Each structure stands twice: as structure tokens, then as C-alpha cells.
Amino acid sequence: MLEISNLALPLDAGLEGKQAEKLVRRAAARALNIPPNDITEIRLLKRSVDARKKHDVHFVATLGVELAGGAKAEAAAIGAAAHRKGAANVKAHRPYESLRVPQVGASRQTQDEPRPIVVGTGPAGLFCALYLARAGLRPLVVERGAAVDERMAAVDAFNAGEPLDPHTNIQYGEGGAGTFSDGKLTTNIKSPWAQHVLHLFVEAGAPEEILWQAKPHIGTDLLVDIVRNIRKQIEQAGGEVRFNTQLTALHFENGHLTQAEIARPQPVTELIPASRVVLACGHSARDTFELVRDAGVRMEQKPFSVGVRIEHPQQLINRSQYGKAADHPALGAADYKLSMHLRPQKGEEQGRGVYTFCMCPGGEVVCAASEPEGVVVNGMSRFARDGQNANSALLVGVGPEDFDGEDPLAGIKLQREMEQAAYRIAIAAGGEPYQAPAQTVGDFLAHQAGGPSKQVKPTYARGVAWCDLHECLPPFVARAMEQALPQLDRRMHGFADPQAVLTGVETRSSSPVRIVRGKNMQAQLAAASVSGCVQDEVLSMAQLVPAPASSDTQDQARAKTQAAPESSAASNRQPADVAALEPETGLYPCGEGAGYAGGIMSAACDGLRVASALVESLRPE
């Protein structure tokens, strides 16, 4: 099969029907300089929208093409294309190779190796557990929140005005925080695991179009079923999943894990043998972070971002991005991604980054609180992206220089202060508990509380209270937003429309901490790093955790350096002299909460990466 890339296609080629197929065939034949009838099969491999010129919005595609003349005709076409000037590129297509998982279960079971434990069922935990289960290791997966159906009910109840469930909500439960998002499957990291993640999603029921979309997404409505299916695959492969169950302690002897304690709400605790635990908690697992710090595990402050959600009419975004083509049925809801670096403000050594994050076309702003008397917002879309509004986070970068003190969890203190302030000012403005503070862009720039927007009806389910967001945002964040909004509007007309709505506060864009892990993907015990071993030490859930992570723009850029690409499972093997320098603790920090990912794709990739390292550590030398 040939692969033709950088092929321009008219928008009508994205419609259903024979006419669209004819347009695609003609374009492919033109690129190969052959008659259309010489093409026997066409497969769409990748497609994106080129809207740089509003008068010429079109698709750019990569096609897989088979010719009637077989391999000989394809080789001739490649040769001819190499000597012909043109925009399209032609080469031999390299088909996808399925993920190969080494089988180690049988050999290890004969050596009485306890089954691994995976903590958390977000993307990192689920994909890690799936890999381990298919390797024959029968992992035990524990999740502090409820299964996805019970979780949906809890989220719906909170949206309707019921009290917050601190154990099961938009942050906690099967699928992790990403279950209630736009379901984006894009990432800035260049990871060989990414193609496997997409195919595993399709295997679990995701639409096949995510394999060829340049910006694939699933949507909350489909993610619910997909997450459930992945869990069933884990169980069918020999794994066990326990919900409403939290890891509460780990026991070590001579610096290596020997037992784990898990607890249910009743409370009922159970002590089980454990020599390998994957900690795949999310970015909101603050009690876990506190335990890690208190246990003396090496942690460090991590830059992250905070801000608000900004809502516009989706039609405004469509017109801004696509011009006269905005209503073309092949396009759907438009998205955007904006970023800029500001000049230093007074007292700052360097300027701050301001950017949009997790943009949700046709979506809604969601109630994302996980702690009492704190307001947190996030965004989500359904697969169809057919809502009236578009929303995105508008975030300002923060770092250790903005935190109060050297405590590794100082970033969490900043998050909590903002969330609790948002709760208080909404109440003070006459709102009900967990209503969110909101303000139009015009009123925000004018420093006045103002009133409802004349164009945008906020989608936050519990309702909003109109007030001045300056009262819940750190001054440096508010100043950065004020400076950035007019400049971002020059990049996308209408972004700073005075009637656009800002809803606060967004504080959970990524993990505020980093727990360092070695090249062997394992955490290191602080006592072990000093004395060489820990005798019968009991570490509360705090003593497991890892290193770096990220998700859109700034956070994703950091993730590039934190997710080192491996081309195969064997690449996780370390040279003997390197491995000898790193303690084999049996703790595997993983995913976003530990600071190694940001977003569904990078977290799932890290889950596979950690699982591969764990499996490799069990293979015979």
C-alpha cells in the first residue's frame, strides 16, 4: 500500500456518499499522476483542517492507496513521485503493529510473586492494569471512588444541588477526572506508546475515526462506556478491580515493599502481600500527597497553572476560525488554542505564560469540586460537540516563586485558597453553596461586578453568582489575564468580547507536585537513600509517589522532556551498572498525579510505560 501525505482535499470530500469518495479518488490519482480507475482501495489515515486562509478552508489528508498493478505499480509510483514537483508526498505505507505484551505470569507465579497492585483507575491506572493483566500478572486494582455508573449518578446528584460526595465526584471514581472532559486524545509528547493507546481505545469501543483524526476526541458520553469496557477487559484477563477502596499503608523490609493495607469506607481494612505497587493517583489526591510528604519521600514543588473558564457562543468561534465556511457540514464545531508570553510585571524576573487549555467545543463548564466549601470548575464536551457554547480554561502559569514557603505541597495551599475564596465570594454575592463566581470579560477588565451577559448563558450546572473575580484570584493572576485578554483577541477576533463569560476558578489543570522516580520507574524511600535499607518500615499511603507531568501548551511542553520515548518494551531495561545504583523499592509512581503526565493520552502512555518497566523487571535476565 502507498501512503500519500500532505494531500489537499475540498471540504465536500469530508461528507458521506459517492460524490465525496469520487473527490478523494480524483485527488489521490492526481497526486500519483495515474487514472482514477487504477486505484483499487483508498483508506483515510489522517485528516486535519487547514483554516489559515479563511477564503480557502480545506482538509489536508494522508491516504493509504492500493493500485491495480500491485507492488510493482506502487514501486513505480514512488519512483515517479520522487522526480515530480508537488505538494503531496508519496512513500510505502507502514501498517500499524499491535502492542506485544510479554507473558511473565506463569513463571513468576511459580516463584510466589505477589500480584501487583495498581492504585487508581484514571487513564494511567487503567492502561497500566490492562497491560499487566495481559502479561498474566492478575493485578489488583483499587479505586477510592465508585464504578462509573454509580459515579455518574453521584455527579448528576451534585449538579442538581445535592451535597458533595468527597469520595465520588468529577475528580474521583472510575475513569479519573478525564471521564468528565472533552475526551481529547492529543498530546505534545512524542511517545511510541501513543498509537497503542488509540488502538486500545478503539478495541474498547471508541469510534475508529480517532485513528485518523488530527485532533481526536471521544467525549464524556462515550468515555463512560469505554472506561467500563476497559475494566471488563482487565477482569477478563485475570485482574481484579475494587471500588470504594483506598490504599492506606505500605510495609517495607530492607527497603523493599512486602505488604499493602487497603481500606473500605465501613471502615474495613485488609493487609495483603505486595512487592510491587503502581501509584496512579490523580492530580487531586491531596491526602495522598500529604502522606507522601510526611513519610519523607522525596518530593518537589512543580509549576502548574491557574485561572478561570471562558465561555463564548460556539457560532462566534466557528466564524472566527472558519470564516464563510463556518456552516459547512463537514467541519463541525471549531476549536482554538492560544498562548502568549507576557513581559515581566513589576517585581518579576521574567514574564508569565498565559494560554488556553482543554478547549471544549459545544461543551459546558462543570462542577469539579472535591473538597467541602471550595469551588472548582473544569470543562467537558459530548462526542457530538453540539452545545450552544464553547469554553476553555484561560490559565496563567505559576511556579515555586509564587508559593508560600518551601513545603512541597505549597502549590496545593495556593489552589485551596483560590477555591475557598471562590466559594465565599459567590455566597457573599447571594449565591447558593457551590455556585460559581462569574463575570463578563467587559466587567472584569473594568473591575466591576456587573451582571449577566447579554449573549452567553453560563452552562455551570449549579448556577453562577455575578461578582468580581479579582476577589478570588491572586493579584498577579488577575493582572496577567487583564494584560493578555486584549492581545489574545488580536490573535482570534472575539476572544475578549465584552459579553464573554469568565467562571472561576480553574485550579486543577495539572499536578502541583512532583515525586521523583528513577530510571527504573521506581520511587525511592528517603530513609533508604540515606542508610541503604529500611527494616520493617510502615509507610502510610504517602510514601509512594513519583516525578514530572503535563497537558496543553506549557504543561504539555514540559511533558515532552518527562516522557522519554521507548521504542519497545525491551528499551525499559537499564544497563546493569545503572540499575545497581537505583533502589528496587517496588513502588512505581505513574501518571498525572505523580507529576509524569497531563491529559488522557500522556497519562495512558505513562501507564503503559510503567507497566512495561514492571514486566521487564520480572523477566529472566
Side-chain angles (χ1 to χ4, degrees), residues 164-181:
L164 173 69
D165 184 337
H167 301 291
T168 299
N169 44 61
I170 276 187
Q171 305 294 350
Y172 302 144
E174 186 176 19
T179 302
F180 296 90
S181 70

Side-chain angles (χ1 to χ4, degrees), residues 254-255 527-534 583:
N254 298 323
S529 65
V530 176
S531 63
C533 66
V534 180

